[in-house]
Amino acid sequence: MALQRLDNRAARALFLDRHGLAEQPRGPARGADLLDLITRLGFVQLDSINTVARAHDMILFSRRPTYRPPDLKRLYEHDRALFEHWTHDAAVIPMAFYPHWHMRFERDADLLRARWKNWRRDGFEAKFAAVLDHIRDHGPVGSSDVGKDEEKSSGGWWDWHPSKTALEYLWRSGALTVIGREGFQKRYDLTERVIEEHLCPGAIDCDPAITIDWLCNAALDRLGFATTGELAAFWDSASPAETKVWAEGELSRGNLEQIEIQSADGSWRKVLARPDVSEQAAIAPQAPGRIRVLSPFDPALRDRKRAERLFDFHYRIEVFVPEPKRVYGYYVFPLLEGDRLVGRIDMKAHRDCSELRVRAFWPERGLRWSEARTRKLEAELDRVRRLAGVERVVFAADWIRAPH
């Protein structure tokens, strides 16, 4: 029997809808409304680079332009509606999801103990008791509050001193909880003092099978369609093998079916979806024509290969590329217009002189760039400069470039 098919436009519509990018960017962005948005996305990745605004702030702002960074800080650090841990990277995650991270804590405990020993973080295990006792007696700490007599290096994260390594291990394995950040530096406290008892082991069923079922269903709900590898990568907690076994069971029960998705180049790819995926794609709203600046770490772009297949948009971040070898720039932002990724822009907020400086913009090849589009982009940059906390946008003389 022929498989259900979604053409490229329908696939993009469903995908953008699941990522909160198909409706008009407006609405409240505080408290319960902000939590609802993060819950819809699943998590928001944290990143320290602040050329315009940090990644988590750009992700939320692109969907709710009334959002401001203190809104997230309040939800996370005061309301305790979010917790911080790892998906594919560090992220803030709805507290309601916390029970499904117990499997992650247990697996990280084994994985990191072996991995970090191999990376010669000598002596970190001997610091566990001292670090826990210090926090118990003196309250929350940052990495600078422990291991003051230990040798430190400026070599990077791989040269943490033993007590810093112990802090990270105890957090990743669940004994500690990050309660917030000061200057983007994590603050740690005992989990028993932060997380409500009903979310902890003993009060809930931590059966890995239940967690794997939740992880796979929650990932599919947020992607619309996916391969088993993409489902596993969404939270990066269940293994690809576990996800494949889950999918086989759901297919046999009729809860999933295999369909074909059309890529931007016209080719077809087999993926998994709910049986009603065609109906869901048909009612997905048409994405608004307003131009939006996206973070390089936006959940819609995190999987670079999928973004290229769906949107014909090849994007690689060049932070770690030597400057002479960069194609575009250190930290270049993708631009979304409707259901298309239409270009990328190199810009930076210079807060000392209150300017958002635009060095260059490259429209995508094959796209007719018009004066109307320029006006839409300028309107979006005026919104972005408010998020960045600067007074004006300044354009380089040759800022509109030819497509690469």
Side-chain angles (χ1 to χ4, degrees), residues 275-300:
D276 66 347
V277 65
S278 295
E279 291 84 348
Q280 292 300 312
I283 63 174
Q286 183 177 353
R290 174 164 150 175
I291 288 178
R292 281 185 269 189
V293 175
L294 300 183
S295 164
F297 299 106
D298 194 281

Side-chain angles (χ1 to χ4, degrees), residues 26-138:
R26 62 189 178 202
R30 294 181 177 179
D33 295 300
L34 182 60
L35 179 60
D36 286 346
L37 174 59
I38 297 171
T39 301
R40 179 177 177 183
L41 297 176
F43 61 88
V44 175
Q45 181 175 340
L46 300 172
D47 191 76
S48 62
I49 296 174
N50 195 15
T51 55
V52 174
R54 290 195 166 111
H56 41 284
D57 296 321
M58 292 291 290
I59 290 167
L60 297 169
F61 174 82
S62 65
R63 293 155 173 83
R64 300 283 190 278
T66 59
Y67 166 82
R68 293 296 180 271
D71 301 328
L72 181 63
K73 188 175 181 68
R74 187 178 307 110
L75 194 66
Y76 173 20
E77 299 181 12
H78 181 268
D79 298 344
R80 296 277 172 241
L82 304 168
F83 72 99
E84 181 175 340
H85 211 263
W86 277 67
T87 55
H88 64 288
D89 211 321
V92 285
I93 306 158
M95 188 64 78
F97 298 173
Y98 188 85
H100 301 295
W101 258 251
H102 296 308
M103 183 180 80
R104 180 79 180 238
F105 299 152
E106 292 179 4
R107 292 182 176 186
D108 278 358
D110 295 333
L111 174 68
L112 298 181
R113 190 184 293 266
R115 180 182 293 171
W116 289 356
K117 277 184 178 179
N118 291 338
W119 288 347
R120 299 190 61 77
R121 286 186 173 86
D122 296 332
F124 77 93
E125 292 171 289
K127 300 296 181 179
F128 290 168
V131 165
L132 291 170
D133 287 344
H134 181 88
I135 296 173
R136 190 171 289 110
D137 294 341
H138 300 285

Side-chain angles (χ1 to χ4, degrees), residues 91-349:
V92 285
I93 306 158
M95 188 64 78
F97 298 173
Y98 188 85
H100 301 295
W101 258 251
H102 296 308
M103 183 180 80
R104 180 79 180 238
F105 299 152
E106 292 179 4
R107 292 182 176 186
D108 278 358
D110 295 333
L111 174 68
L112 298 181
R113 190 184 293 266
R115 180 182 293 171
W116 289 356
K117 277 184 178 179
N118 291 338
W119 288 347
R120 299 190 61 77
R121 286 186 173 86
D122 296 332
F124 77 93
E125 292 171 289
K127 300 296 181 179
F128 290 168
V131 165
L132 291 170
D133 287 344
H134 181 88
I135 296 173
R136 190 171 289 110
D137 294 341
H138 300 285
V141 301
S143 59
S144 62
D145 299 317
V146 297
K148 293 182 179 180
D149 59 342
E150 298 168 15
E151 183 179 353
K152 299 175 175 62
S153 169
S154 59
W157 62 267
W158 54 90
D159 281 327
W160 294 336
H161 58 78
S163 290
K164 163 63 174 173
T165 307
L167 275 176
E168 285 289 301
Y169 179 89
L170 292 166
W171 166 53
R172 292 283 297 272
S173 58
L176 297 180
T177 295
V178 172
I179 59 169
R181 291 177 179 249
E182 294 177 6
F184 213 69
Q185 298 301 307
K186 294 192 285 287
R187 301 284 295 172
Y188 307 81
D189 200 355
L190 300 176
T191 293
E192 64 206 53
R193 295 203 293 226
V194 181
I195 304 299
E196 295 183 16
E197 188 176 353
H198 72 277
L199 298 172
C200 296
I204 59 167
D205 188 346
C206 295
D207 182 350
I210 295 173
T211 291
I212 291 167
D213 181 65
W214 182 90
L215 290 168
C216 293
N217 275 305
L220 186 58
D221 287 344
R222 288 160 178 81
L223 293 172
F225 48 84
T227 64
T228 56
E230 290 167 344
L231 291 178
F234 186 87
W235 305 106
D236 196 27
S237 289
S239 71
E242 289 168 332
T243 304
K244 186 176 180 180
V245 169
W246 173 86
E248 289 169 351
E250 293 296 283
L251 284 165
S252 69
R253 288 184 284 273
N255 296 327
L256 292 182
E257 61 181 50
Q258 195 172 62
I259 68 166
E260 288 187 314
I261 296 293
Q262 187 182 36
S263 298
D265 65 2
S267 63
W268 295 88
R269 188 166 187 256
K270 291 179 180 179
V271 296
L272 299 171
R274 308 285 188 203
D276 66 347
V277 65
S278 295
E279 291 84 348
Q280 292 300 312
I283 63 174
Q286 183 177 353
R290 174 164 150 175
I291 288 178
R292 281 185 269 189
V293 175
L294 300 183
S295 164
F297 299 106
D298 194 281
L301 296 169
R302 181 178 65 81
D303 185 330
R304 310 295 192 208
K305 291 181 179 179
R306 181 170 53 213
E308 190 164 358
R309 283 194 302 269
L310 277 179
F311 299 98
D312 191 24
F313 187 76
H314 178 83
Y315 181 84
R316 298 295 183 271
I317 195 163
E318 298 182 285
V319 168
F320 301 110
V321 177
E323 186 171 0
K325 296 184 177 181
R326 290 175 188 152
V327 177
Y328 295 103
Y330 172 79
Y331 197 83
V332 174
F333 298 87
L335 299 178
L336 179 71
E337 180 189 35
D339 65 350
R340 298 182 67 184
L341 289 158
V342 296
R344 60 201 83 200
I345 190 165
D346 184 7
M347 58 184 176
K348 183 177 181 180

